[in-house]
Amino acid sequence: MVPFGGWDMPVEYSGIVAEHLAVRERAGIFDVSHMGQIEVAGKNALEAVQRISCNDAAKLQVGQAQYSGLLTPDGTFVDDILVYRLAPQHFMLVVNASHIGKDYEHIAEGIKPAGDAVAVDASSRYALVAVQGPQAREVVQPLTAVDLGAMKYYWFAHGEVAGIRATVSRTGYTGEDGYEIFVPPPQADRLWLALLESGREVGLIPCGLGARDTLRLEASMRLHGNDIDETTTVLEADLGWIVGWKKPDFVGAERLRRQKAEGIARRLVGLEMQEPGIARAGHDVYVGDSKVGAVTSGTQTPYLKKAIAMAYLPVAQATAGSEVEVDIRGRRARATVVPMPFYKRTQ
Amino acid sequence: MMAYPAGYKYSKDHEWIDISGDRGKVGITDFAQKQLGDVVYVELPEVGAQLKAGQSFGTIESVKAVSELYAPVSGEVVEVNGGLKDKPEAVNADPHATWMVSIRLSDPDEAGSLLDATQYADLVK
């Protein structure tokens, strides 16, 4: 167990490689109750969310979710979030565990000009269990009347799972198909056991933080604190697709518009090692004798069986095929810039 | 719990050495591989490298962590287990049979200060 955002969480149950492969090939179950939930409601809730979230929440129908960012006025990440539209004027923002307090203050302050809207930290009302993998539906469907086959990616529905009042969302942080199930904390252990039992036949196994990290990295999903933070803008993180360029003003918009017009100096890229060695967060990246950037995340991926990494590089080096070197504890190892995601599911 | 072979000597840094004559094969213990988790990369020295007891002779990486490998004795590297390049997971599967380097001991007396299997088992208990 390791401390993580105020929680004690297992890095691994049976081993990171076995857990990672289970999610890619069958299914895995994750306790991600540490994630925070901040609800925004009121007559002007949509306007409020539009101010503090960079994606366009007006595009969401009730029952739909989107990836977005909470930004500083500089267009950098206070946090990355998922925005769920629970009702026309009621939203739930799922945020990173370690930032719940900071995010809440940022949101409560940021929505003030919107008028009638309040932000509530509802984190203690939700436990969250994720079932991820190509066979996730076979695991969850027998326990619920919610038609999971009819649920599209990044949509959600309310219902019961294993007799427990739940919100089921077709989302995840693994690059695999799957579901995230929000339930009241007192029922979380019963849900966990019911899912384990239901998944026994397909080979569902519990997965810890270690596999969650290798899976998300293989799928090129950014980790706040590593790949994105308050020093990196949305455009530098190559996440321009989460910016609602046409929507009304939002925190960070001016800077992003300027950066879009003037161009960025550096961009987050994928690296694949060409020589033995594993690039890890913090390792410097060189072209010849010049230090040009740094690795933000890196690992040996259990499924692709390659050493991969993300790094910020000057745009001149940030094109696929570009050759760089990573300083791995004093030894230089060649790496190539490759397109992201490293892994994309086929189905 | 995997038994620690009685014929081996052990360092407090969790390496074992299987000494035969003036040579010893070196690996890491079951305790060490469990702490590391799934091993994905082992970086070893070249044949001919001169090692000092206690000095780092390479690194071992699991998915989650990087650790140094420490020489339990002084001497010259006379052989390197090249098979680990393609099968680093052997360290997890059979730690006490998966050697990394073979060292020609320059000072056989050093082995006397290492732990025996019972002492090592007590250390990691």
Side-chain angles (χ1 to χ4, degrees), chain A residues 63-84:
Chain A
Q64 201 177 4
Q66 71 186 180
Y67 181 56
S68 186
L70 288 183
L71 306 185
T72 67
D74 287 337
T76 63
F77 284 94
V78 174
D79 203 356
D80 61 336
I81 61 174
L82 281 189
V83 179
Y84 288 73

Side-chain angles (χ1 to χ4, degrees), chain B residues 49-125:
Chain B
Q50 298 291 332
L51 305 180
K52 269 196 168 148
Q55 183 191 58
S56 165
F57 70 84
T59 55
I60 183 163
E61 290 198 47
S62 65
V63 181
K64 66 184 178 196
V66 187
S67 293
E68 301 279 341
L69 295 163
Y70 296 101
V73 294
S74 306
E76 180 188 347
V77 175
V78 289
E79 213 180 335
V80 169
N81 185 353
L84 284 176
K85 198 176 279 178
D86 295 322
K87 280 201 66 159
E89 64 273 16
V91 175
N92 297 114
D94 200 354
H96 300 148
T98 305
W99 62 279
M100 294 167 180
V101 292
S102 179
I103 299 175
R104 184 186 295 124
L105 280 63
S106 56
D107 179 6
D109 291 344
E110 278 178 352
S113 60
L114 294 170
L115 307 174
D116 66 23
T118 314
Q119 289 166 323
Y120 182 74
D122 280 344
L123 177 75
V124 298
K125 202 159 53 183

Side-chain angles (χ1 to χ4, degrees), chain A residues 5-36:
Chain A
W7 298 69
D8 280 334
M9 296 186 61
V11 171
E12 59 186 357
Y13 292 84
S14 49
I16 294 173
V17 171
E19 294 165 24
H20 185 113
L21 294 179
V23 171
R24 288 278 177 261
E25 290 161 359
R26 307 187 306 275
I29 179 171
F30 303 74
D31 179 356
V32 286
S33 300
H34 61 295
M35 300 298 288

Side-chain angles (χ1 to χ4, degrees), chain A residues 228-245:
Chain A
I228 52 175
D229 60 24
E230 294 195 11
T231 70
T232 59
T233 75
V234 180
L235 294 180
E236 289 162 359
D238 207 10
L239 291 173
W241 62 274
I242 68 168
V243 179
W245 295 110

